[in-house]
């Protein structure tokens, strides 16, 4: 049997249309949520076997949610701004009573007794959750090859990775299995797969979206964000999950921003006077030529729409990778301690003479190689006698990065870089040497360390015909500006 | 108790105090001792994946109260994660404070005036409770273990003293005083038997003037009795080793109540590396100067202040650390004494009556303060003898009556006229010439015989002091 090699949808030209279209139609009674869902399930039925975007498809629950939305409309009740939009959820977001695995053997079968804040907000806004998507185990990776349940394939070319760690969510949207999706981004895990799968992905300002119910990888870097076909859909989704949550102490205590309006403004009026800085350190060495060519195209579109463009050096970006690979594993080593076989998830007690051995056996059997590597790295970085040289030093670098970006934002409103140094790579290309894999996140990691927002927006294809995204970065809470500028780049596609 | 051969004991104490908040430190589960196991739990205190902590405002306020009461500086602080694997710790790390604690650098004053330095008093979360089912009752050798997470996430303040304590009795006095302070602040119920107060002791010995010796940390001290026994045992163990020319190994030791010994749990080499790092899920605590001041100003008087006030009420006749004053403050009866003084009662007399006759808070609650003061005045004016005054006081507490004069009248108590007393004394001298001669010769013990006889003859109405005075006058003493 020869498998198809391509399963991508283009929403602008046919059914089911953008998420904004779906919600508008469903709210107005022009289409039913059940019909919209059926279209997406038809695509899942046809192509999920090739793509493997999901760890779990919520067939029954999604059907019930869609029916509830339709019943509300029939009763004259507005189901909410995301009415009937099929949404995919990264499988590190807790869903009450529904298996949440983080694509790890150690959590296989675990059903959380509660739902993440974002999951609750989606349901309250009328969205329909279609499934839990595959990821690199505990969100550690850049290709989804680190999933314990097998990799996800890039819908544009099934021999290529979708990126990661939110590869399942990116692929689900690109393949038309869901209209929009949620991912989490610790070092690029939304933006890089969005770029590789040819869709929009955004990492919001740290604290804009509640992390309550997101299974932690690196708490000071993790942030939930949207995947969508269009910038407007990403804005719509972000608008509905953002906003203060008393259950997350790091959540920003401010009302959610108005983002869809900013996208429409950008599309209609361009970006007159917007100061755009091309980051020198991330727009030359290490980036493939086709990626740089598309970066130039994006810059031209912004310039044409009224932006002034200059170059800026942000020297500390060179230190980001090193700092990230100390801070993230250090926090991970602590966050992942709780998977010890005592309370939930996997327990391997066979051959264990005491509780310590049971814990060790469980963790040895339950975690994959990359997770173990990062736990060891982080444990080492926090150890007595090494803390100052590693974790302490990395935190100082982080402060440096924040200050560097602050300086850059005195001159520029937004910065622009490629999202990924290359287009999607083939399976196995970078698994032999972890460091080559880590390098794929060189452009995305800085905004996680700085806590600032960044968006990846598609801007054509490379020499191999695979999608290329460009990344816009801005200071804290500049989501509206970034989305407006992204809309300009998108408009040229 | 002094140690043998001139050795000096050096002790520092770490006291874990559970805060009396309604809810846990990072979630809204009830903070309640003794409930059915695993009923006061939620995703947060169970450390379920994805859950996040939110700091309990009241826990911070209680910690600040404790710090203020211990004369600490209340400072901006942050939480750290203390990482180690243990089944009763849901996240396999404890959220605690490390190098930036909320309270630093204070002291605790013992009743005798000795000050024990307080290094810090920091906040942290409690762990669950493991019950090891098997012969040993400890984790090794257990057949299986049961874990109750009701206690996981209960707010704690750990109070770390400086190594200023020099005797086991002083250690005991420190914990007793600390307990009173904690209860006075309202931050803790102080119940050692429920584990609300848990003590670890760092014990070492040295020859006076020498550097501190290597210390051992003693755990599992569940009562004041365990504390003093363990310290004394441990000190002697260390002295024996030192005198035999052996070195003390820095280690954590377990106190075994049954056999009265400490035994090694783990040495410094085996000590865990806790890999402390700042807790990224919580934001720094930065109490405003106004909040700190408001907490300090709202504190009730601490035991040491109350003892000082009582001492002043006796005109300094009784020291703040004297037994009657310590007893009265322990029982919370100082308001009774001070109230009586405010109503014209004599302070010294009030202290004695309360310490000796009232004794307990329950008794004190039955006593009308103005009535008590009136009784003291009657006694001072010699309208009642000491014996009569005690009898009236007892009846006042039994019946909650407020008028001592009415009781005295009903009982036929009245002051014996001094003329009647003189006549009585002269009659007794005449009746017992031999005894009187002995008194004149300086045998003052015989005075007791005469007082007793006077009491008997007067049916208890004679004033012992007056009789003694008259006798001494007659005897020319």
């Amino acid at each position: 049997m020869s498998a198809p090699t391509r399963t991508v949808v283009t929403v602008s030209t046919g059914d089911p249309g953008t998420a904004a279209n779906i919600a508008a139609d469903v709210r107005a009674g022009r289409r039913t949520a059940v019909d919209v869902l059926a279209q997406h399930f038809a695509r899942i039925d046809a192509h999920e076997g090739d793509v493997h975007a999901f760890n779990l498809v919520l067939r029954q629950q999604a059907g019930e949610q869609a029916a509830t939305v339709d019943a509300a409309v029939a009763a004259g009740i507005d189901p909410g701004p995301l009415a009937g939009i099929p949404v995919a959820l990264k499988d590190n977001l807790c869903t009450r009573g529904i298996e949440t695995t983080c694509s790890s053997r150690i959590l296989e079968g675990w059903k959380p007794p509660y739902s993440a804040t974002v999951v609750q907000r989606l349901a309250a806004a009328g969205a329909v959750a279609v499934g839990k998507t595959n990821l690199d185990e505990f969100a550690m990776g850049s290709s989804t090859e680190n999933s314990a349940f097998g990799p996800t394939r890039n819908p544009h070319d099934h021999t290529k990775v979708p990126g990661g760690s939110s590869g399942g969510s990116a692929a689900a949207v690109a393949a038309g299995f869901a209209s929009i999706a949620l991912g989490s981004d610790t070092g690029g895990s939304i933006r890089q797969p969005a770029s590789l799968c040819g869709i929009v992905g955004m990492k919001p300002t740290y604290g804009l979206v509640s992390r309550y119910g997101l299974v932690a990888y690196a708490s000071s870097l993790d942030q939930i964000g949207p995947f969508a076909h269009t910038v407007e859909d990403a804005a719509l989704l972000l608008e509905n999950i953002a906003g203060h949550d008393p259950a997350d102490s790091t959540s920003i205590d401010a009302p959610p921003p108005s983002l869809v309006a900013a996208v429409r403004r950008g599309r209609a009026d361009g970006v007159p006077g917007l100061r755009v800085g091309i980051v020198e350190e991330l727009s030359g060495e290490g980036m493939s030529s086709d990626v740089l060519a598309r970066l130039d195209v994006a810059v031209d579109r912004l310039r044409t729409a009224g932006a002034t463009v200059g170059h800026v050096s942000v020297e500390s970006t060179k230190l980001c990778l090193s700092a990230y690979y100390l801070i993230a594993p250090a926090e991970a080593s602590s966050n992942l301690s709780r998977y010890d076989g005592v309370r939930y998830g996997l327990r391997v007690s066979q051959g264990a003479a005491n509780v310590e051995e049971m814990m060790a056996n469980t963790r040895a059997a339950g975690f994959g190689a990359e997770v173990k590597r990062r736990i060891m790295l982080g444990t080492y970085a926090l150890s007595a006698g090494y803390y100052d040289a590693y974790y302490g030093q990395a935190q100082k670098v982080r402060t440096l990065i924040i200050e560097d970006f602050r300086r850059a934002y005195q001159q520029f409103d937004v910065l622009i870089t490629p999202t990924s140094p290359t287009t999607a790579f083939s399976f196995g290309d970078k698994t032999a040497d972890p460091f080559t894999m880590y390098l794929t996140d060189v452009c995305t990691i800085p905004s996680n360390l700085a806590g600032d927002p960044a968006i990846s927006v598609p801007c054509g294809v490379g020499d191999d015909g695979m999608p290329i995204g460009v990344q816009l970065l801005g200071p804290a809470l500049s989501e509206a500006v970034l989305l407006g500028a992204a809309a300009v780049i998108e408009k040229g596609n | 108790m002094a140690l043998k051969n001139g050795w000096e004991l050096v002790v520092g104490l770490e006291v874990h105090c559970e805060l009396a908040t309604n809810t846990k430190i990072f979630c809204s589960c009830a903070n309640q001792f003794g409930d059915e196991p695993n009923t006061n739990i939620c995703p947060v205190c169970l450390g379920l994946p994805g859950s996040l902590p939110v700091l309990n405002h009241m826990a911070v306020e209680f910690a600040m109260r404790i710090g203020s009461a211990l004369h600490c500086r209340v400072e901006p602080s942050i939480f750290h994660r203390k990482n180690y694997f243990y089944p009763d710790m849901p996240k396999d790390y404890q959220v605690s404070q490390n190098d930036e604690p909320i309270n630093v650098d204070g002291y605790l004053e013992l009743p005798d005036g000795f000050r024990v330095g307080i290094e810090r008093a920091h906040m942290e979360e409690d762990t669950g409770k493991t019950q090891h089912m098997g012969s040993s009752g400890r984790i090794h050798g257990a057949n299986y273990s049961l874990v109750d997470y009701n206690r996981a996430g209960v707010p704690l303040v750990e109070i770390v003293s400086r190594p200023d304590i020099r005797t086991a009795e002083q250690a005991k006095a420190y914990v007793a005083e600390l307990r009173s302070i904690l209860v006075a602040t309202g931050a803790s119920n102080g119940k050692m038997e429920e584990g609300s107060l848990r003590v670890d002791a760092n014990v070492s010995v040295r020859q006076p003037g020498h550097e501190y010796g290597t210390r051992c940390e003693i755990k599992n001290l569940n009562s004041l009795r365990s504390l003093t026994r363990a310290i004394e045992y441990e000190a002697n163990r260390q002295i024996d080793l030192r005198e035999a020319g052996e070195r003390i190994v820095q280690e954590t030791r377990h106190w075994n109540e049954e056999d009265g010994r400490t035994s090694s749990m783990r040495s410094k080499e085996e000590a865990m590396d806790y890999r402390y790092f700042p807790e990224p899920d919580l934001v720094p605590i930065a109490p405003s100067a106004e909040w700190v001041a408001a907490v300090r100003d709202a504190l009730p008087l601490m035991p040491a202040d109350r003892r000082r006030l009582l001492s002043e009420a006796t005109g300094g006749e009784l020291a703040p650390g004297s037994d009657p004053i310590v007893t009265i403050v322990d029982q919370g009866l100082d308001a009774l004494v001070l109230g009586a003084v405010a109503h014209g009662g004599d302070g010294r007399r009030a202290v004695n009556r309360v310490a000796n006759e009232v004794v307990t808070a329950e008794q004190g609650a039955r006593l009308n303060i103005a009535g008590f003061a009136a009784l003291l005045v009657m006694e001072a004016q010699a309208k009642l003898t000491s014996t009569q005054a005690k009898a009236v006081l007892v009846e006042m507490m039994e019946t909650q009556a407020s008028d001592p004069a009415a009781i005295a009248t009903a009982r036929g108590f009245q002051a014996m006229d001094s003329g009647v007393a003189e006549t009585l004394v002269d009659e007794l001298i005449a009746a017992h010439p031999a005894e009187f001669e002995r008194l004149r010769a300086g045998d003052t013990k015989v005075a007791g015989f005469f007082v007793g006889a006077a009491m008997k003859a007067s049916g208890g109405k004679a004033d012992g002091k007056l009789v003694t005075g008259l006798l001494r006058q007659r005897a020319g003493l």
Side-chain angles (χ1 to χ4, degrees):
Chain A
M1 186 180 78
S2 78
T5 58
R6 220 175 134 80
T7 49
V8 69
V9 293
T10 313
V11 296
S12 53
T13 54
D15 291 339
T18 66
N21 293 152
I22 292 171
D25 287 355
V26 170
R27 289 169 103 176
R30 289 189 293 269
R31 279 196 271 171
T32 66
V34 169
D35 284 346
V36 171
L37 183 64
Q39 287 178 303
H40 289 83
F41 273 143
R43 289 198 59 83
I44 291 173
D45 292 339
H47 304 294
E48 167 64 2
D50 300 315
V51 177
H52 185 221
F54 292 102
N55 287 337
L56 181 67
V57 176
L58 301 171
R59 212 165 277 275
Q60 192 190 336
Q61 181 195 289
E64 287 164 6
Q65 268 187 325
T68 305
V69 167
D70 291 336
V73 174
I77 302 161
D78 181 5
L82 304 181
I85 303 176
V87 58
L89 304 171
K90 189 175 182 179
D91 200 17
N92 60 356
L93 295 169
C94 286
T95 41
R96 187 191 167 105
I98 295 165
E99 212 175 320
T100 299
T101 68
C102 297
S103 289
S104 179
R105 293 281 174 214
I106 212 157
L107 267 180
E108 205 173 356
W110 180 62
K111 293 178 179 173
Y114 74 105
S115 285
T117 298
V118 289
V119 173
Q120 293 177 38
R121 287 188 180 177
L122 286 182
V128 175
V130 294
K132 306 292 296 282
T133 60
N134 198 14
L135 62 149
D136 286 299
E137 184 177 4
F138 284 103
M140 298 179 189
S142 309
S143 68
T144 321
E145 290 169 289
N146 294 333
S147 167
F149 309 131
T152 296
R153 296 188 185 86
N154 192 314
H156 292 266
D157 179 345
H158 295 168
T159 66
K160 302 279 173 69
V161 302
S165 65
S166 314
S169 283
V173 172
F177 301 162
S179 178
I180 50 177
L182 288 183
S184 65
D185 189 316
T186 307
S189 282
I190 291 174
R191 290 159 289 161
Q192 185 255 18
S195 175
L196 269 48
C197 289
I199 59 172
V200 178
M202 184 165 206
K203 182 203 90 78
T205 304
Y206 186 79
L208 186 67
V209 179
S210 167
R211 291 184 294 119
Y212 191 79
L214 165 67
V215 179
Y217 157 27
S219 312
S220 74
L221 303 163
D222 294 342
Q223 186 63 193
I224 297 168
F227 285 102
H229 287 285
T230 68
V231 176
E232 182 176 328
D233 285 356
L236 178 67
L237 177 51
L238 181 53
E239 229 175 51
N240 280 283
I241 58 169
H244 184 240
D245 178 11
D248 176 357
S249 308
T250 62
S251 158
I252 295 169
D253 196 357
S258 174
L259 301 175
V260 171
V263 173
R264 292 181 180 159
R265 224 169 21 244
R267 215 157 44 206
D269 305 339
V271 283
L274 187 77
R275 300 169 300 166
V276 177
I278 301 167
V279 180
E280 284 172 355
E281 287 78 3
L282 299 173
S283 58
E285 200 186 336
M287 307 293 147
S288 68
S289 56
D290 52 351
V291 167
L292 290 176
R294 297 316 297 176
L295 180 66
D296 288 343
V297 170
V299 168
D300 282 343
R301 289 178 188 171
L302 290 169
R303 196 185 279 120
T304 308
T308 58
V309 180
H311 287 263
V312 61
S313 169
V314 188
E315 275 202 32
S316 58
T317 52
K318 289 184 284 192
L319 305 172
C320 283
L321 213 58
S322 314
Y324 175 86
Y325 277 101
L326 288 168
I327 292 169
E331 293 181 9
S333 71
S334 175
N335 282 331
L336 272 64
S337 291
R338 68 191 71 190
Y339 309 107
D340 59 10
V342 173
R343 287 159 299 273
Y344 46 79
L346 183 71
R347 175 186 289 182
V348 181
S349 48
Q350 205 179 4
N354 53 46
V355 71
E356 288 92 344
E357 284 182 27
M358 183 280 284
M359 289 178 171
N361 290 355
T362 299
R363 291 166 68 80
F367 288 135
E370 184 61 27
V371 171
K372 286 177 186 166
R373 179 166 20 250
R374 295 195 195 188
I375 289 174
M376 285 189 283
L377 200 59
T379 302
Y380 189 77
L382 290 175
S383 294
Y386 298 98
Y387 181 95
D388 290 339
Y390 294 112
Y391 188 78
Q393 191 68 16
Q395 287 294 7
K396 284 182 198 155
V397 168
R398 191 170 184 181
T399 305
L400 206 64
I401 290 158
I402 291 168
E403 285 166 3
D404 249 16
F405 273 105
R406 193 174 294 147
R407 258 193 304 279
Y409 291 129
Q410 286 168 358
Q411 279 181 275
F412 296 98
D413 300 308
V414 300
L415 304 180
I416 191 164
T417 74
T419 306
S420 167
T422 64
T423 57
F425 45 92
S426 298
F427 290 101
D429 261 12
K430 295 179 193 285
T431 45
D433 178 3
F435 190 69
T436 61
M437 187 73 88
Y438 297 170
L439 277 174
T440 64
D441 294 331
V442 67
C443 298
T444 47
I445 280 173
S447 40
N448 295 88
L449 289 170
D452 293 338
I455 187 169
S456 177
V457 59
C459 187
V461 296
D463 300 339
D464 54 4
M466 293 297 284
I468 288 176
V470 297
Q471 179 182 229
L472 292 166
L473 303 87
L477 297 175
S478 65
E479 277 80 2
V481 178
L482 293 179
L483 285 160
V488 166
I489 296 171
E490 176 185 58
K491 200 177 168 186
N493 285 341
Chain B
M1 187 200 78
L3 299 181
K4 58 188 171 187
N5 301 337
W7 289 92
E8 183 183 52
L9 177 70
V10 176
V11 174
L13 295 176
E14 295 171 12
V15 177
H16 286 85
C17 162
E18 285 186 350
L19 301 182
T21 50
N22 293 327
T23 56
K24 294 186 180 182
I25 186 167
F26 298 128
C27 63
S28 53
C29 287
N31 171 14
Q32 183 64 49
F33 177 84
D35 282 358
E36 277 289 297
N38 296 314
T39 52
N40 298 325
I41 52 170
C42 75
V44 176
C45 58
L46 275 184
L48 292 188
S51 65
L52 294 171
V54 176
L55 182 58
N56 180 340
H57 188 267
M58 205 58 208
V60 179
E61 172 140 350
F62 279 170
M64 287 163 63
R65 282 192 204 173
I66 292 171
S68 298
L70 293 173
H71 312 280
C72 291
R73 289 197 312 279
V74 177
E75 303 216 309
S77 64
I78 61 170
F79 284 99
H80 272 69
R81 290 187 185 174
K82 181 179 182 181
N83 295 285
Y84 63 100
F85 287 90
Y86 206 79
D88 64 17
M89 200 163 54
K91 302 180 292 290
D92 287 296
Y93 60 79
Q94 181 189 27
V95 179
S96 180
Q97 296 193 304
N98 185 31
D99 51 6
E100 295 177 49
I102 184 162
N103 302 302
V104 296
D105 208 13
Y107 65 87
L108 177 149
E109 188 176 307
L110 297 180
D112 65 8
F114 182 80
R115 285 183 176 182
V116 178
I118 303 292
E119 189 183 303
R120 53 192 280 149
H122 69 259
M123 305 181 69
E124 60 186 28
E125 60 177 340
D126 210 342
T127 62
K129 227 176 192 169
T130 310
Q131 209 180 337
H132 301 297
M133 311 305 281
S135 51
S136 71
R138 299 187 40 192
I139 190 163
H140 289 284
N143 297 324
Y144 62 95
S145 303
L146 299 173
V147 191
D148 174 10
Y149 292 104
N150 281 354
R151 202 181 68 178
V154 165
L156 294 175
V157 164
E158 181 178 346
I159 300 133
V160 182
S161 88
R162 296 192 189 282
D164 294 343
I165 295 165
R166 291 292 173 270
T167 66
E169 293 75 19
Q170 219 169 35
K172 180 179 166 184
Y174 169 89
V175 174
E177 182 68 11
L178 179 57
R179 186 186 167 282
S180 306
I181 290 172
L182 293 171
V183 171
T185 62
S188 167
N189 66 24
K191 290 180 182 167
M192 279 190 97
E193 66 280 11
E194 290 185 2
S196 296
L197 223 59
R198 307 197 287 271
V199 185
D200 299 334
N202 284 295
V203 179
S204 64
V205 295
R206 66 172 175 183
Q207 285 294 329
H210 285 69
E211 294 285 297
Y212 289 136
T214 303
R215 68 173 189 274
C216 292
E217 183 181 0
I218 317 298
K219 292 198 175 279
N220 193 40
L221 307 172
N222 298 321
S223 66
L224 294 180
R225 191 176 124 81
S226 307
L227 175 69
T228 49
R229 285 179 73 204
I231 289 174
E232 280 168 7
Y233 171 84
E234 179 61 18
N236 284 317
R237 186 188 73 85
Q238 292 184 15
I239 291 169
D240 290 345
L241 283 171
R242 293 276 289 272
E243 290 185 345
E246 290 178 46
R247 291 165 61 94
I248 309 296
V249 180
Q250 186 174 335
E251 61 186 356
T252 305
R253 298 179 68 83
H254 180 90
W255 168 249
N256 191 320
E257 186 68 42
E258 283 70 45
D259 63 10
R261 294 158 168 272
T262 62
S263 57
S264 179
M265 286 171 76
R266 57 180 179 266
S267 71
K268 191 185 176 191
E269 286 69 38
E270 298 168 287
M272 285 178 264
D273 177 357
Y274 292 120
R275 292 173 282 119
Y276 278 105
F277 75 103
E279 163 60 287
D281 288 330
L282 289 167
V283 292
I285 312 172
S288 66
E290 291 76 27
W291 189 19
V292 174
V295 166
R296 194 180 48 228
D297 295 346
L299 279 181
L301 285 178
M302 289 299 121
D305 305 317
R306 290 159 57 195
R307 287 191 298 263
R308 202 166 291 126
L309 282 180
L310 280 188
S311 173
E312 283 165 12
T314 69
E317 276 189 55
L318 291 175
S322 61
D323 285 347
I325 286 182
V326 170
T327 305
I328 289 170
V329 169
D330 276 354
Q331 288 297 323
L333 288 168
D334 38 339
L336 180 58
V337 172
L338 297 173
V341 170
H343 281 85
D346 171 60
R348 175 66 195 264
R349 206 181 287 269
V351 165
N352 284 345
R353 284 281 170 262
V354 172
N356 298 323
E357 268 77 53
V358 181
V359 188
T360 66
E362 293 73 30
Q363 291 265 79
R366 303 178 62 81
L367 196 54
N368 175 281
I369 290 181
F372 176 52
L375 177 68
L376 295 173
V377 170
M378 288 174 72
E379 196 186 347
Q381 292 174 346
K383 288 181 182 166
L384 290 174
T385 68
S386 171
T387 314
Q388 289 170 340
K390 282 182 198 174
V392 172
L393 181 56
V394 168
E395 186 171 334
M396 287 175 78
M397 291 189 288
E398 278 170 0
T399 62
Q400 291 186 264
S402 60
D403 183 1
I407 296 172
T409 305
R411 290 195 166 209
F413 291 166
Q414 43 195 288
M416 182 176 276
D417 187 272
S418 62
V420 177
E422 282 189 50
T423 309
L424 178 60
V425 166
D426 289 341
E427 281 171 10
L428 288 170
I429 291 171
H432 304 284
E435 284 80 0
F436 186 64
E437 277 311 308
R438 279 167 55 198
L439 183 69
R440 271 163 53 120
D443 185 358
T444 53
K445 279 180 282 181
V446 189
F449 161 77
F450 280 104
V451 173
M455 289 294 172
K456 197 173 172 189
S458 66
K461 290 179 191 174
D463 182 335
K465 261 189 200 165
L466 183 60
V467 170
T468 309
L470 288 168
L471 275 168
R472 292 170 74 94
Q473 189 199 352
R474 297 286 192 275
L477 293 172

